């Protein structure tokens, strides 16, 4: 009614002015008739102006509405609301152009300039701002924007609950817990607040606390549409399938058309290998909720954990078609791509969601795994700073939920995440793959300590280097023992690490000799040398053997065994084809030959290895000139050679 009162007030004010004017200016029109005509004309002008503003582009509409509001018409309140929506529309346009900072600025201005206090309808419109940002893939920025609403809602539990719903959907358990605990303080008898708390505890990987809150929800609302099923999911994740089945059935009894109970029950039956019962429940579930991306993800995850990658891929694709930003569906899809040897595709689909602001240990671990299986060792180890630490006792430390947790096994730590998110007890990563990742990380962790010392020009003491060497060798053996057909290639990389850090050289030489013998078996499968898939078996074998001899030659040089080094390097050169790798081997042979005192032969080898297009051509040229000058006294004639 208030806008209507304003209209009548304006009518009255206009009437008074016009009557006063009528007393001064003679007119043939009676005063009463002139007033009746002027009042509708004024309101018609205001409405027409407001209507015209709504037809222009959002950025222009903002300026026009700001000017319109200053006129203090009866449409000021609707104009503020229109301005709110115009800024939101303009901000969304910028989000589509990936201009996140000016978009956030527009949302913030819209919040600040709207008169306070706001009613519930306007508050709901404003709450859509962070959701819009989130839906465009900017999770971090969306969460920061949503936090702006907490201060103006601290005494209104219903609004706090709305804010918490966003945090829960963004899987931001910590913020959801804070907001919901405040809502419960204000009104502890609302079941949905306890349900939200339970969900937040699950996100924070605190199943015990989640169970308690789900039970409180049931006590406050025995007919809650989700509480029994949600409690069942925790029991399912703990492999307590009988308890889970009973709770799912109770949920169906309470709310027959529930959206999650039939699907949850189906997963229980699948875990129990009761496929016929599972099929019946899935049919019921799909009749109720035909596009449940969470259930699709769970089915895909379960299929992948059983090595049924074809079905896992299809379920994951369905889930991502509805929820492209759902990280767990991406994890399922990435694992199916890994099985197809599409490592770059797997890494890309995971890294993309990290870039959009979704980050948790399992996601980083999956990227590490994909890069390691692709034999991108540097890239795999670069992930470590994002999600874990290795303690002096060689334990892994992860931020799981609210607090850091330590364990010898990564599986022990990470399984808490998929149990909480998907209520599934099994892991997509095999025990063998876990061992591979764990021992790689430990081996490379200690190797990196030696590289760090070199980079920072720090001289490690003999005792300290010896201690590190013990650790390196301790984790080298299990890293190389994983039998997946790629041991030889991991061994070659590990030998390079020992060579580059100048430790355990005799062990490195032993491994190099093993590689020479393993060349035939290692290269028999097609695409075994991943960067050279075009090579046939004979050429793959020669290239692998050449690289093994090359490593052995460099190791023997460092050990001062020049004859052995020369022998190995000549074998490497013979097995290499004409390539940059062969020229590097020739250059190394030149170095050994020079060290053995044969400068003329060394010069000839240096010249043979030189190519002005190689990355190290400048350094090589200086080396050649110095040696040539030493032998001939000048550089005369060098250009001809």
């Amino acid at each position: 009614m208030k806008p209507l009162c304003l209209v009548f007030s304006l009518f009255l004010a206009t009437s008074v002015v016009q009557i006063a004017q009528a007393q001064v200016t003679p007119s043939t029109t009676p005063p009463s008739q002139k007033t009746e005509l002027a009042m509708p004309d004024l309101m018609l002008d205001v409405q027409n102006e407001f209507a015209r503003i709504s037809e222009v582009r959002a950025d222009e509409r903002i300026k026009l509405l700001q000017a319109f509001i200053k006129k203090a018409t009866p449409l000021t309140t609707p104009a503020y609301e229109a301005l709110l929506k115009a800024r939101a529309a303009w901000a969304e346009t910028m989000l589509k152009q990936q201009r996140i900072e000016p978009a956030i600025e527009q949302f913030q201005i819209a919040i600040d300039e709207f008169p306070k206090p706001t009613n519930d309808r306007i508050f709901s419109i404003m709450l859509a701002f962070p959701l819009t940002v989130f839906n465009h893939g900017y999770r971090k920025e969306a969460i920061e924007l949503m936090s702006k609403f907490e201060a103006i809602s601290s005494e209104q539990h219903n609004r706090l609950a709305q804010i918490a719903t966003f945090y829960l959907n963004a899987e931001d358990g910590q913020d959801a817990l804070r907001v919901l605990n405040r809502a419960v303080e204000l009104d502890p008898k609302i079941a949905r607040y306890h349900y939200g708390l339970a969900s937040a505890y699950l996100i924070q990987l605190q199943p015990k606390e989640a169970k308690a809150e789900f039970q409180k929800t049931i006590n406050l609302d025995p007919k809650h549409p989700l509480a029994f099923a949600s409690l069942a999911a925790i029991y399912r994740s703990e492999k307590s399938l009988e308890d889970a089945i009973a709770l799912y059935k109770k949920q169906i009894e309470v709310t027959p058309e529930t959206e999650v109970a039939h699907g949850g029950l189906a997963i229980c039956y699948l875990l129990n290998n009761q496929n016929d019962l599972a099929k019946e429940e899935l049919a019921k579930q799909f009749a109720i909720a035909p596009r449940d991306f969470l259930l699709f993800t769970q089915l895909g995850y379960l299929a992948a954990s059983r090595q049924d990658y074809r079905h896992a891929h299809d379920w994951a694709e369905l889930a991502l078609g509805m929820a492209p930003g759902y990280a767990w569906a991406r994890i399922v899809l990435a694992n199916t791509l890994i099985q197809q040897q599409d490592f770059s595709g797997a890494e890309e689909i995971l890294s993309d969601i990290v870039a959009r602001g979704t980050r948790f240990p399992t996601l980083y671990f999956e990227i590490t795994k994909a890069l390691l299986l692709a034999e991108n060792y540097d890239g795999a180890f670069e992930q470590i700073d994002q999600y874990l630490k290795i303690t002096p006792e060689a334990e892994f430390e992860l931020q799981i939920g609210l607090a850091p947790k330590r364990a010898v096994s990564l599986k022990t730590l990470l399984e808490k995440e998929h149990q909480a998110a998907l209520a599934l007890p099994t892991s997509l990563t095999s025990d063998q793959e876990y061992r591979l990742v764990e021992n790689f990380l430990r081996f490379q962790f200690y190797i990196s300590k030696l590289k760090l010392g070199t980079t920072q020009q720090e001289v490690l003491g003999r005792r300290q280097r010896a201690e590190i060497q013990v650790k390196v060798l301790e984790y080298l053996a299990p890293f190389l023992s994983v039998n997946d057909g790629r041991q030889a290639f991991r061994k070659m990389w590990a030998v390079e690490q020992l060579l580059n850090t100048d430790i355990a050289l005799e062990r490195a030489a032993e491994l190099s000799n093993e590689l020479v013998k393993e060349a035939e078996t290692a290269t028999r499968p097609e695409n075994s040398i991943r960067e050279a898939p075009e090579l046939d078996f004979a050429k793959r074998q020669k290239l692998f053997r050449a690289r093994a001899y090359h490593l052995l030659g460099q190791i023997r040089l460092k050990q001062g065994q020049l004859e052995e080094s020369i022998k190995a390097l000549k074998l490497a050169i013979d097995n290499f084809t004409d390539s940059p790798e062969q020229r590097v081997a020739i250059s190394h042979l030149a170095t050994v030959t020079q060290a053995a005192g044969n400068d003329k032969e060394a010069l000839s080898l240096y010249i043979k290895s030189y190519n002005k297009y190689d990355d190290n051509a400048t350094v090589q040229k200086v080396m050649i000139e110095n040696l040539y000058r030493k032998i001939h006294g000048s550089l005369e004639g060098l250009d001809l050679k």
Side-chain angles (χ1 to χ4, degrees):
M1 295 298 291
K2 286 184 180 180
L4 190 57
C5 293
L6 287 170
V7 171
F8 283 132
S9 298
L10 183 61
F11 283 179
L12 181 58
T14 306
S15 142
V16 170
V17 171
Q18 290 179 331
I19 289 170
Q21 290 174 340
Q23 291 173 344
V24 175
T25 308
S27 175
T28 57
T29 304
S32 60
Q33 183 179 352
K34 187 170 183 179
T35 302
E36 289 172 2
L37 292 172
M39 286 191 295
D41 286 348
L42 176 62
M43 291 309 300
L44 185 60
D45 289 344
V46 171
Q47 288 287 0
N48 281 334
E49 182 180 358
F50 191 59
R52 286 194 299 272
I53 291 172
S54 67
E55 295 173 359
V56 303
R57 209 172 62 184
D59 54 337
E60 296 174 3
R61 192 157 72 243
I62 291 168
K63 297 175 184 177
L64 294 172
L65 284 167
Q66 287 174 318
F68 184 83
I69 288 168
K70 290 179 181 178
K71 296 179 181 180
T73 71
L75 298 181
T76 296
T77 299
Y80 267 118
E81 186 174 332
L83 178 58
L84 191 75
K85 293 177 180 178
R87 287 200 185 279
W90 179 231
E92 185 160 16
T93 298
M94 288 187 282
L95 285 173
K96 291 175 181 177
Q97 299 168 351
Q98 298 183 340
R99 297 166 60 199
I100 180 62
E101 291 182 4
I104 293 293
E105 183 181 2
Q106 284 299 313
F107 282 131
Q108 186 61 60
I109 293 171
I111 295 166
D112 293 340
E113 72 186 349
F114 201 93
K116 308 294 187 296
T118 58
N119 60 37
D120 287 344
R121 187 172 64 84
I122 297 301
F123 185 76
S124 296
I125 292 173
M126 288 182 176
L127 281 190
F129 297 171
L131 184 60
T132 301
V133 175
F134 181 80
N135 287 339
H136 279 83
Y138 299 99
R139 179 178 180 271
K140 179 183 175 183
E141 291 82 358
I143 290 171
E144 289 176 354
L145 185 59
M146 180 58 80
S147 69
K148 308 289 185 184
F149 294 98
E150 292 185 35
I152 61 174
S153 311
S154 60
E155 300 302 320
Q156 296 168 282
H157 57 82
N158 59 326
R159 291 190 179 184
L160 289 170
Q162 287 179 272
I163 294 169
T165 298
F166 168 83
Y167 287 142
L168 289 171
N169 288 334
E171 296 190 357
D172 179 9
Q174 190 166 356
D175 286 325
L177 280 174
R178 183 186 63 256
V179 172
L180 283 166
N181 274 315
R182 176 58 182 158
V184 168
E185 283 179 21
L186 295 170
D187 193 336
K189 294 185 178 180
I190 297 182
R192 62 190 175 93
Y193 297 172
H194 291 280
Y195 185 84
L197 269 177
S199 303
Y201 278 126
L202 277 183
I203 292 172
Q204 294 303 114
L205 307 180
Q206 296 175 269
K208 181 179 177 181
E209 291 80 358
K211 280 183 181 179
E213 291 298 330
F214 281 136
Q215 191 59 58
K216 287 179 185 177
T217 306
I218 291 168
N219 294 341
L220 289 166
D221 181 4
K223 293 184 182 270
H224 193 280
L226 294 170
F228 288 104
S230 299
L231 187 55
I234 299 179
Y235 283 105
R236 189 180 80 193
S237 72
E238 297 171 345
K239 297 185 181 179
S240 299
L241 295 180
E242 290 185 9
D243 291 331
I245 288 170
L247 284 164
Y248 280 125
K249 287 182 176 179
K250 180 64 177 176
Q251 186 71 76
I252 293 169
E253 178 187 326
V254 171
T255 51
E257 294 298 306
T258 182
E259 290 191 358
V260 295
H262 291 290
L265 188 55
I267 297 288
C268 284
Y269 287 141
L270 287 171
L271 290 168
N272 255 350
N273 295 314
Q274 296 172 286
N275 293 344
D276 290 340
L277 291 174
K279 187 175 179 180
E280 290 178 17
E281 294 301 326
L282 284 176
K284 295 174 184 176
Q285 176 68 23
F286 292 152
I288 298 167
R291 294 177 63 76
D292 185 346
F293 73 87
L294 177 57
L295 178 58
F296 293 167
T297 302
Q298 291 169 335
L299 291 168
Y301 190 99
L302 184 57
S305 71
R306 295 177 170 183
Q307 288 78 54
D308 181 5
Y309 294 107
R310 181 174 67 84
H311 286 105
H313 185 279
D314 292 345
W315 285 121
E317 289 277 21
L318 273 173
L320 290 171
M322 288 170 280
Y326 189 48
W328 287 98
R330 287 179 177 244
I331 287 171
V332 173
L333 183 59
N335 275 270
T336 68
L337 295 175
I338 286 172
Q339 295 306 313
Q340 299 168 22
Q341 305 291 299
D342 184 4
F343 302 109
S344 61
E347 189 270 335
E348 182 179 350
I349 199 169
L350 295 171
S351 294
D352 176 68
I353 197 67
V354 169
R356 293 171 178 267
T358 301
R359 295 166 191 178
F360 53 93
T362 297
L363 186 53
Y364 280 114
F365 170 81
E366 292 290 340
I367 296 173
T368 298
K369 183 176 76 175
L371 291 169
L372 178 57
L373 292 174
E375 293 166 13
N376 179 354
Y377 299 102
D378 290 340
F381 192 69
E382 283 174 5
Q383 303 299 315
I384 189 172
D385 290 336
Q386 306 297 329
Y387 72 106
L388 69 80
K389 294 179 181 178
I390 298 178
T391 70
E393 299 77 25
E395 288 184 315
F396 297 108
E397 181 177 293
L398 300 180
Q399 186 78 19
I400 297 291
L402 290 173
K405 300 284 194 309
R406 288 185 179 188
V408 174
S409 164
L410 274 175
K411 181 179 180 180
T412 302
L413 296 170
L414 293 173
E415 66 184 359
K416 299 179 189 301
E417 290 197 319
H418 65 74
Q419 288 170 359
L422 301 176
L424 289 169
T426 50
S427 174
L428 290 186
T429 302
S430 67
D431 289 344
Q432 176 175 275
E433 287 173 335
Y434 268 121
R435 287 197 306 274
L436 177 63
V437 175
E438 288 166 356
N439 289 300
F440 159 73
L441 290 175
R442 288 178 173 126
F443 171 77
Q444 185 66 351
F445 172 72
Y446 287 106
I447 284 286
S448 68
K449 284 182 172 292
L450 297 171
K451 291 180 178 178
L452 185 67
T454 303
T455 303
Q456 296 181 343
Q457 301 301 313
E458 295 175 354
V459 179
L460 294 171
R462 184 178 298 176
R463 179 178 175 182
Q464 194 174 2
R465 284 183 63 85
E467 290 173 352
I468 293 173
Q469 177 171 307
V470 169
K471 289 292 186 182
V472 165
L473 293 176
E474 179 182 348
Y475 297 111
L476 173 61
F479 172 60
L480 297 181
S481 68
V482 176
N483 186 14
D484 62 353
R486 301 297 299 179
Q487 304 97 301
F489 294 91
R490 286 198 296 277
K491 186 182 294 185
M492 186 169 287
W493 172 79
V495 169
E496 288 180 30
Q497 305 313 299
L498 299 178
L499 172 64
N500 293 338
T501 51
D502 202 14
I503 63 167
L505 291 179
E506 190 53 39
R507 178 62 179 141
E510 292 171 5
L511 293 173
S512 298
N513 279 313
E514 290 176 13
L515 287 169
V516 171
K517 296 174 183 177
E518 293 167 359
E520 181 178 352
T521 55
T523 56
R524 189 165 295 281
E526 292 183 9
N527 298 321
S528 54
I529 298 182
R530 287 176 174 154
E531 75 275 21
E534 75 285 355
L535 298 181
D536 61 25
F537 170 58
K539 290 178 180 176
R540 290 197 303 270
Q541 185 177 350
K542 287 191 71 175
L543 177 57
F544 187 92
R545 186 174 286 113
R547 289 173 174 175
Y549 277 129
H550 192 186
L551 286 170
L552 180 59
Q554 293 173 81
I555 293 164
R556 292 308 188 197
L557 171 59
K558 280 198 171 186
Q559 290 179 310
Q561 300 180 31
L562 301 186
E563 289 185 13
E564 291 295 319
S565 177
I566 289 171
K567 179 181 176 182
L569 288 170
K570 284 182 176 179
L571 288 168
I573 292 164
D574 289 344
N575 280 275
F576 277 128
T577 56
D578 183 18
S579 64
E581 279 188 280
Q582 186 188 55
R583 291 196 293 277
V584 172
I586 294 171
S587 176
H588 286 151
L589 179 58
T591 301
V592 183
T593 303
Q594 186 179 6
N598 192 340
D599 287 348
K600 287 187 178 180
E601 186 177 347
L603 178 61
S604 176
L605 289 166
Y606 278 130
I607 292 172
K608 186 177 180 181
S609 71
Y610 178 74
N611 185 308
K612 65 180 179 180
Y613 299 109
D614 286 347
D615 292 339
N616 63 341
T618 302
V619 175
Q620 272 202 307
K621 186 176 181 182
V622 171
M623 191 182 301
I624 290 169
E625 289 174 346
N626 289 339
L627 186 56
Y628 190 91
R629 187 183 287 108
K630 176 184 175 183
I631 295 171
H632 298 283
S634 71
L635 297 181
E636 186 178 351
L638 176 58
D639 289 341
L640 295 175
K641 294 183 177 294

